[in-house]
Amino acid sequence: MDGNGRWAAQRSLPRTSGHTAAEATVIDVIEAARAAGVEWLSLYAFSTENWSRPSGEVDFLMHLVRRVVRKHAPLLHARGIRCRFLGVSDARIPAPLAQDFADLMTLTGANRGMTLTVAFDHGGRSDIVEAARSLIRAGVPAEALDEQVFAAHLPFPDTPDVDLVIRTSGEQRISNFMLWQVAYAEWMFPPVLWPDFRATHFAECVHTYQQRDRRFGGVAPHANGDLRP
Ligand code: IPE
Ligand code: MG
């Protein structure tokens, strides 16, 4: 979800106004994803690198996310959405916010609709290091380690690989997002700033995704010169 600061700057507003405006897009995209039949939606809200922002902006984001989580918890639950928070969850997260995350996960944990993963205090590298630690603690011998075993030690191992990553604002970077899970993701970089991104933009991305030919390193069955038996 990128471009909040630029959205505000375009309007000569403080960056925080862009974050406030982002709330409407978040709700719009959640509804659009449900309407499109998406079963797993992940929103990258705050990275392990975002702590380096000015403390005023970080504090603002912590309060904003808390307000948004509390305000929309009943709606998310009523929609049958299962909510999860993917992140380091270190002591830098204010305790009341950590409690709200835990409460929302408990409230919606048994829901069987779309799973909404909010990546907060998230870093793909950090997840991989944590998985390695977990493997060592479990005493997994080197010979027993393969991709499946490794993936089972990542947080929320039931999360499927990412099919599509949409990064708004035109920036073309991964920025440490679910590094293991995006190995074969399709990527889209719509130029629209996140606060301007709407259900229609989301639907366009889904439509484009459906036209993509995903071969996972193989050869499409209909490809010319297919040499497979
Ligand atoms: C994304 O918008 C929101 C967060 C990372 C929290 P930015 O704040 O990165 O907006 P730009 O990139 O400065 O426009
Ligand atoms: Mg940015």
Side-chain angles (χ1 to χ4, degrees):
M1 303 188 283
D2 202 8
N4 298 352
R6 278 162 283 168
W7 184 93
Q10 281 176 359
R11 289 158 178 78
S12 305
L13 295 168
R15 294 178 50 81
T16 48
S17 307
H19 298 317
T20 304
E23 177 184 353
T25 304
V26 167
I27 301 306
D28 228 41
V29 165
I30 291 171
E31 297 284 15
R34 281 184 70 248
V38 171
E39 292 176 1
W40 299 81
L41 175 71
S42 302
L43 297 173
Y44 196 6
F46 194 86
S47 74
T48 48
E49 291 75 28
N50 285 149
W51 292 109
S52 68
R53 293 191 176 197
S55 63
E57 182 172 343
V58 170
D59 286 350
F60 184 89
L61 283 165
M62 296 296 146
H63 283 102
L64 176 71
V65 171
R66 180 147 199 247
R67 194 176 58 72
V68 169
V69 165
R70 293 175 73 91
K71 178 173 159 194
H72 297 289
L75 173 87
L76 294 167
H77 187 44
R79 294 274 192 273
I81 296 171
R82 175 173 60 163
C83 300
R84 292 171 163 182
F85 292 89
L86 173 68
V88 179
S89 301
D90 57 23
R92 290 180 291 186
I93 296 186
L97 178 59
Q99 188 58 52
D100 288 339
F101 286 167
D103 290 347
L104 186 60
M105 284 201 271
T106 305
L107 175 71
T108 65
N111 288 344
R112 288 292 168 263
M114 182 172 81
T115 299
L116 171 65
T117 301
V118 179
F120 193 92
D121 194 11
H122 163 75
R125 285 185 172 179
S126 155
D127 278 358
I128 290 169
V129 169
E130 274 309 314
R133 281 190 179 149
S134 163
L135 286 156
I136 292 166
R137 277 197 294 266
V140 176
E143 305 71 40
L145 186 61
D146 58 19
E147 292 182 10
Q148 235 181 333
V149 171
F150 190 92
H153 285 258
L154 287 166
F156 301 122
D158 60 335
T159 308
D161 277 356
V162 174
D163 289 315
L164 166 63
V165 180
I166 303 169
R167 181 173 186 149
T168 56
S169 87
E171 300 284 9
Q172 302 188 12
R173 285 191 288 279
I174 297 183
S175 297
N176 206 7
F177 177 67
M178 296 177 91
L179 293 179
W180 178 276
Q181 297 90 335
V182 299
Y184 267 96
E186 297 292 323
W187 291 81
M188 282 173 213
F189 304 101
V192 186
L193 303 174
W194 179 256
D196 290 328
F197 194 78
R198 282 289 165 270
T200 48
H201 300 108
F202 185 82
E204 277 168 32
C205 289
V206 171
H207 183 73
T208 306
Y209 170 80
Q210 287 166 335
Q211 316 300 312
R212 296 249 179 120
D213 190 10
R214 301 187 77 196
R215 296 184 295 278
F216 298 95
V219 179
H222 58 270
N224 287 337
D226 186 355
L227 299 177
R228 290 181 307 176

